[in-house]
C-alpha cells in the first residue's frame, strides 16, 4: 500500500495529494470540511486533534478498480508544493528545534549518534540538541528513506501518473488557494481571500506551536526545563516570521516553569499583533534559513540537491540558490538558533 494515498472528496470530485511541510495538515482539515457539510466556514473549525488523515476519504475507498479509474479521470487533481530547501528547513524548525519528543527520538538521537563524536549529556541523549547540519547529513545519508519529510514530491505524489490539474505553491499560497476554491465553486470562497482567513491561519499556527509541547510535558521536562521549551517555541515563532525578533521572550525562567499554554498563547498573539513590519518579518525568516544552510557542508548539500532533483525541475525551483549555497558570500551571523540569546541584527 502507498504510504500517502491521495485524499478525496467524492461530492466535489476532488483529489489532493498532501505534501509534508506544504500545509498538509491544513489540507486534511480542508478535505474534512468538504466531506462534511461542504459549507464549513473555515477548515480551522476542524480541531487539530480530529484532523487525522485516516478520517478522510482516500483513493483506496473508491472501488472497484473501474470506478477508481473513472474518479481519477473526472476529478480535479490538486497538489501544493514547496521549495525543497524551505521544506527541509521547516521540518527541522518544527520537528526538533521546537520541543517534540517523538522526533527527538526518531531524528535527533539517530543523527547525533552517527555524526557527533561526543554524545555525553542529557540533551544529546534525548536528541533535543541535534543541529540542522546533523539532521541534513542524516537525511543525505539515506537513513531517512522511510520518512516522508525527506521525500521528493515526485516520489510521493506521482505527478506523471495523475496528471494534476492544479499545482499550487506555498510561495504563492494566498493567490493559489483563491484560484482553487473558485475553481471548486465553494459557497464560502470569499473567506479564503479575507483578512479573517489570514488571521485564523496565524492564530492556528501559534496555538499549535504552543499546545503541542505543553501536551508532552512529562517527556519535554525529562530533556529540558520549561523555560528552555518556552524560549524555543518563542524563537520558532520568530523564525517563522510570526513574531518580531525584537520582541524578547516575555517570561522569567521561574515564571516559565509554571506557565500554562493558555497564558502563553495569549501573550504570543499579542506579540504577533505588535509585529507589524512585514518586511522585517520576511527578512528574519530568510536570514534564519540562510544561517542554517551555511552550517551544512558541500557534500551534504550536493546529496540533498540530487534527492530533490525532480522537484527542482518539475516545479521550477532554483537548485542552487546563491544566498543559501554559495560559500563566497559573507555568512549570516544572527544567532537565530541560540534560543537563550538575543537575536542579533545581521
Amino acid at each position: 500500500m502507498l504510504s500517502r494515498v491521495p485524499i478525496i472528496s467524492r461530492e466535489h470530485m476532488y483529489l489532493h495529494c498532501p505534501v509534508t511541510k506544504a500545509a498538509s495538515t491544513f489540507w486534511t482539515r480542508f478535505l474534512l470540511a468538504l466531506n462534511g457539510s461542504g459549507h464549513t466556514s473555515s477548515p480551522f473549525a476542524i480541531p487539530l486533534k480530529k484532523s487525522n488523515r485516516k478520517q478522510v476519504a482516500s483513493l483506496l475507498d473508491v472501488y472497484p478498480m473501474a470506478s477508481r479509474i473513472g474518479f481519477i479521470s473526472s476529478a480535479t487533481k490538486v497538489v501544493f508544493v514547496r521549495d525543497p530547501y524551505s521544506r527541509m528547513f521547516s521540518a527541522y524548525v518544527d520537528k526538533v528545534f521546537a520541543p517534540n519528543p517523538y522526533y527527538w527520538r526518531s531524528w535527533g538521537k539517530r543523527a547525533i549518534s552517527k555524526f557527533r563524536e561526543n554524545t555525553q549529556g542529557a540533551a544529546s541523549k534525548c536528541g533535543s540538541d541535534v543541529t540542522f547540519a546533523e539532521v541534513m547529513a542524516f537525511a543525505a545519508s539515506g537513513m531517512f528513506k522511510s520518512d516522508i519529510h525527506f521525500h521528493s514530491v515526485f516520489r510521493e505524489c506521482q505527478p506523471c501518473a495523475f496528471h494534476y490539474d492544479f499545482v499550487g505553491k506555498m510561495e504563492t499560497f494566498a493567490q493559489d488557494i483563491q484560484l482553487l476554491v473558485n475553481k471548486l465553486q465553494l459557497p464560502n470562497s470569499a473567506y479564503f481571500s479575507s483578512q479573517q482567513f489570514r488571521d485564523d491561519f496565524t492564530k492556528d499556527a501559534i496555538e499549535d506551536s504552543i499546545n503541542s509541547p505543553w501536551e508532552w510535558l512529562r517527556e519535554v521536562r525529562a530533556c529540558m526545563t520549561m523555560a528552555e521549551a518556552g524560549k524555543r517555541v518563542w524563537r520558532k515563532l520568530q523564525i517563522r516570521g510570526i513574531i518580531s525578533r525584537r520582541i524578547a521572550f516575555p517570561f522569567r525562567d521561574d515564571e516559565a516553569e509554571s506557565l500554562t499554554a493558555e497564558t502563553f498563547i495569549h501573550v504570543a498573539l499579542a506579540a504577533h499583533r505588535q509585529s507589524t513590519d512585514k518586511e522585517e518579518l520576511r527578512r528574519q525568516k530568510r536570514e534564519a534559513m540562510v544561517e542554517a544552510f551555511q552550517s551544512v557542508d558541500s557534500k551534504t548539500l550536493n546529496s540533498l540537491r540530487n534527492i530533490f532533483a525532480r522537484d527542482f525541475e518539475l516545479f521550477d525551483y532554483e537548485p542552487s540558490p546563491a544566498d543559501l549555497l554559495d560559500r563566497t558570500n559573507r555568512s549570516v551571523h544572527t544567532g537565530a538558533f541560540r534560543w537563550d540569546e538575543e537575536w542579533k541584527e545581521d
Side-chain angles (χ1 to χ4, degrees):
M1 181 183 295
L2 291 174
S3 61
R4 293 171 62 81
V5 176
I7 52 181
I8 65 169
S9 169
R10 295 189 186 190
E11 177 184 352
H12 293 272
M13 293 300 291
Y14 178 81
L15 179 152
H16 192 111
C17 183
V19 175
T20 302
K21 303 313 300 175
S24 58
T25 301
F26 168 82
W27 290 115
T28 299
R29 296 159 91 181
F30 183 85
L31 263 291
L32 283 169
L34 279 184
N35 291 339
S37 66
H39 299 279
T40 299
S41 60
S42 168
F44 303 111
I46 307 293
L48 268 172
K49 290 183 178 180
K50 295 184 179 180
S51 59
N52 190 309
R53 187 83 44 78
K54 294 179 181 178
Q55 296 177 322
V56 187
S58 79
L59 193 58
L60 290 182
D61 296 322
V62 182
Y63 54 85
M65 183 58 71
S67 297
R68 187 177 302 170
I69 293 172
F71 181 86
I72 293 172
S73 175
S74 301
T76 300
K77 295 169 284 295
V78 176
V79 62
F80 267 69
V81 299
R82 186 177 185 177
D83 173 75
Y85 295 115
S86 180
R87 279 183 63 203
M88 289 184 280
F89 177 68
S90 177
Y92 172 77
V93 171
D94 188 47
K95 301 302 184 185
V96 289
F97 179 74
N100 191 318
Y102 174 82
Y103 286 99
W104 287 343
R105 291 190 296 270
S106 61
W107 294 3
K109 291 179 67 173
R110 294 166 66 196
I112 287 170
S113 67
K114 184 173 178 63
F115 295 104
R116 189 181 300 181
E117 292 184 5
N118 183 0
T119 59
Q120 300 301 310
S124 294
K125 290 180 180 178
C126 280
S128 59
D129 69 342
V130 66
T131 67
F132 180 73
E134 288 168 337
V135 171
M136 292 301 99
F138 202 67
S141 71
M143 300 299 288
F144 284 155
K145 284 182 179 179
S146 62
D147 197 303
I148 53 182
H149 291 84
F150 301 100
H151 287 179
S152 71
V153 174
F154 183 84
R155 173 177 171 179
E156 290 302 307
C157 293
Q158 307 170 39
C160 296
F162 285 120
H163 301 291
Y164 286 95
D165 305 294
F166 192 100
V167 178
K169 289 188 173 184
M170 292 305 297
E171 294 78 11
T172 52
F173 183 81
Q175 303 96 299
D176 290 351
I177 191 172
Q178 190 59 52
L179 290 172
L180 175 62
V181 296
N182 288 342
K183 183 179 180 66
L184 295 174
Q185 298 182 328
L186 299 186
N188 61 329
S189 60
Y191 165 73
F192 293 92
S193 61
S194 68
Q195 183 61 47
Q196 186 62 54
F197 173 72
R198 292 188 287 275
D199 291 344
D200 289 347
F201 203 106
T202 302
K203 181 174 181 287
D204 188 75
I206 290 173
E207 291 177 343
D208 181 43
S209 295
I210 294 171
N211 280 327
S212 294
W214 261 252
E215 290 172 358
W216 307 319
L217 274 178
R218 178 181 292 184
E219 291 181 280
V220 171
R221 284 185 184 275
C223 297
M224 62 181 57
T225 66
M226 291 313 295
E228 177 177 346
K231 290 175 183 177
R232 284 190 181 222
V233 170
W234 192 263
R235 184 54 56 90
K236 169 190 170 178
L237 294 173
Q238 292 175 319
I239 290 171
R240 288 191 58 179
I242 293 173
I243 293 176
S244 169
R245 64 180 177 186
R246 301 178 189 277
I247 303 177
F249 183 66
F251 302 100
R252 300 192 313 268
D253 286 2
D254 60 324
E255 292 176 326
E257 292 306 314
S258 58
L259 182 64
T260 65
E262 291 76 16
T263 297
F264 197 177
I265 289 169
H266 176 76
V267 172
L269 286 169
H272 167 67
R273 289 191 291 270
Q274 296 171 32
S275 305
T276 57
D277 189 335
K278 303 302 182 185
E279 176 57 28
E280 178 184 65
L281 295 173
R282 184 202 64 77
R283 187 170 60 250
Q284 72 189 41
K285 286 174 61 176
R286 189 63 180 181
E287 285 179 356
M289 185 172 166
V290 170
E291 188 162 349
F293 273 99
Q294 287 181 345
S295 71
V296 181
D297 65 79
S298 297
K299 180 180 177 182
T300 296
L301 291 173
N302 287 334
S303 297
L304 294 172
R305 189 162 40 219
N306 290 334
I307 290 172
F308 292 98
R310 297 300 298 273
D311 288 26
F312 294 126
E313 177 185 357
L314 283 171
F315 307 119
D316 195 29
Y317 286 117
E318 172 55 54
S320 302
D323 61 339
L324 291 186
L325 308 186
D326 187 352
R327 293 301 185 263
T328 62
N329 288 349
R330 69 185 183 91
S331 296
V332 174
H333 297 293
T334 64
F337 292 93
R338 299 191 184 98
W339 50 266
D340 57 341
E341 299 178 7
E342 180 182 354
W343 184 327
K344 302 177 181 64
E345 186 170 358
D346 186 54

